Amino acid sequence: MKTTTITLLTLLLSSSLFAQNKSNDSFDANAGYYADAFDVEWTMPKGMTDMNTRESMTVRQGYRLVHTNSPVLRSEDGGCVLMYGSEPLFISDDLAKLFEEGKNLTRKLHGAQDPDAIDPAGNNDNEHRLRMSSELGVIYGYRDEMARPIPGKTFSLDEHISVLPEKTARKWFNADSVFVYDLPVDDPYQGIYNHCTGVVITKKGRTGFALKLYFTDEGKKNEKRYMQSLRKTIWYRDTDWKYDRENDKQAIRKYSK
């Protein structure tokens, strides 16, 4: 029965991600998609070049948690690679209800301390914290090889992240919150990018964005400059936006060519 429950949740999640999948990894295609589907404007950061590729990065060697990224940009000086999460950091109300039902079923069948039951069900208000908790929990030994919480271990996310001032979040992205955190790297990207900073941008009721900045040793010294280059490159438009699944599908078809 447990296998059946996990499989059901996996299928629900997979079907959602498949519906949102974009095969065109260019910056321009992604910018067009987010403008049309989520009413968010993207601008190419200054000094960055589009690598027109997709990268799947393991959070920790030997663990199954992988984040897939596109577009992927490289700074002209080679000191930084900027990766955008390839899927919207967004959970519709309908999908959140399915997640809640699945989580309740798991708890009923296997108890609240089952590894698949400990995390709250994902919704658009908590998805960004669940994402960061999974990454950092894996790195610091609070989650198992499948990125599930280890019963009896309590991970304090707030001890590992910084939150930019609200004024900065609004000035830089017209966002509500911006979270910044270090991600130790045990498998350097391309053998030289051995430092990583995660950035998560959120706004109530809207899609969030998960960015990763990878640095060489020299690039890490200029981290502040690279961070500042992100200002106003993601911008939430001031509209009464509501998620429309059909509009999302149309945008996917339009920008997947």
Side-chain angles (χ1 to χ4, degrees):
M1 180 63 73
K2 182 172 182 179
T3 301
T4 302
T5 304
I6 295 172
T7 301
L8 174 61
L9 292 174
T10 301
L11 288 174
L12 288 173
L13 180 58
S14 298
S15 63
S16 168
L17 295 181
F18 179 78
Q20 295 176 346
N21 184 54
K22 306 179 297 302
S23 60
N24 191 327
D25 296 319
S26 74
F27 181 90
D28 289 345
N30 278 274
Y33 168 73
Y34 280 104
D36 288 4
F38 292 95
D39 207 24
V40 179
E41 183 178 350
W42 280 20
T43 305
M44 175 72 76
K46 291 182 179 179
M48 290 283 182
T49 301
D50 189 356
M51 297 173 67
N52 284 290
T53 190
R54 173 179 296 241
E55 295 286 358
S56 294
M57 306 294 292
T58 302
V59 173
R60 182 179 177 185
Q61 292 189 65
Y63 287 68
R64 298 185 183 182
L65 184 61
V66 174
H67 52 82
T68 304
N69 307 275
S70 77
V72 177
L73 314 180
R74 189 197 305 272
S75 64
E76 293 174 353
D77 60 13
C80 175
V81 169
L82 170 61
M83 300 186 184
Y84 296 69
S86 61
E87 304 294 343
L89 195 59
F90 180 80
I91 296 178
S92 68
D93 291 342
D94 289 343
L95 189 58
K97 290 178 182 178
L98 291 176
F99 285 164
E100 185 67 34
E101 291 171 1
K103 186 70 69 172
N104 288 337
L105 177 60
T106 299
R107 289 169 178 158
K108 181 178 180 180
L109 294 174
H110 309 295
Q113 287 304 303
D114 184 88
D116 291 306
I118 296 174
D119 279 338
N123 58 57
N124 206 49
D125 290 332
N126 69 7
E127 176 64 9
H128 62 286
R129 291 187 66 87
L130 290 175
R131 179 78 62 91
M132 292 186 289
S133 292
S134 293
E135 291 180 337
L136 291 166
V138 161
I139 286 172
Y140 292 109
Y142 288 85
R143 290 180 178 255
D144 64 19
E145 68 277 2
M146 297 181 68
R148 301 174 305 179
I150 298 175
K153 285 193 171 186
T154 302
F155 177 68
S156 177
L157 176 63
D158 293 328
E159 292 180 3
H160 295 84
I161 62 176
S162 298
V163 183
L164 297 188
E166 182 177 337
K167 181 178 180 180
T168 301
R170 296 199 180 280
K171 183 177 180 180
W172 281 28
F173 307 109
N174 198 25
D176 292 340
S177 302
V178 178
F179 305 88
V180 181
Y181 53 103
D182 289 328
L183 279 170
V185 176
D186 62 2
D187 184 18
Y189 176 61
Q190 295 187 344
I192 59 172
Y193 293 92
N194 52 355
H195 305 276
C196 181
T197 296
V199 178
V200 173
I201 304 164
T202 67
K203 190 177 181 73
K204 178 72 173 178
R206 308 289 286 271
T207 186
F209 297 94
L211 312 180
K212 299 290 188 300
L213 293 91
Y214 285 87
F215 306 105
T216 62
D217 288 337
E218 188 63 30
K220 182 67 175 177
K221 299 175 183 177
N222 299 309
E223 179 176 4
K224 183 177 180 180
R225 172 167 60 85
Y226 295 122
M227 287 287 293
Q228 290 178 337
S229 73
L230 299 178
R231 289 183 296 184
K232 297 187 177 181
T233 59
I234 293 175
W235 191 260
Y236 291 93
R237 294 170 178 161
D238 288 317
T239 58
D240 187 22
W241 177 87
K242 299 292 183 183
Y243 180 69
D244 186 318
R245 184 175 176 80
E246 289 305 315
N247 188 47
D248 191 355
K249 289 181 178 179
Q250 290 177 13
I252 291 172
R253 288 193 292 268
K254 179 178 179 181
Y255 294 104
S256 293
K257 300 176 181 178

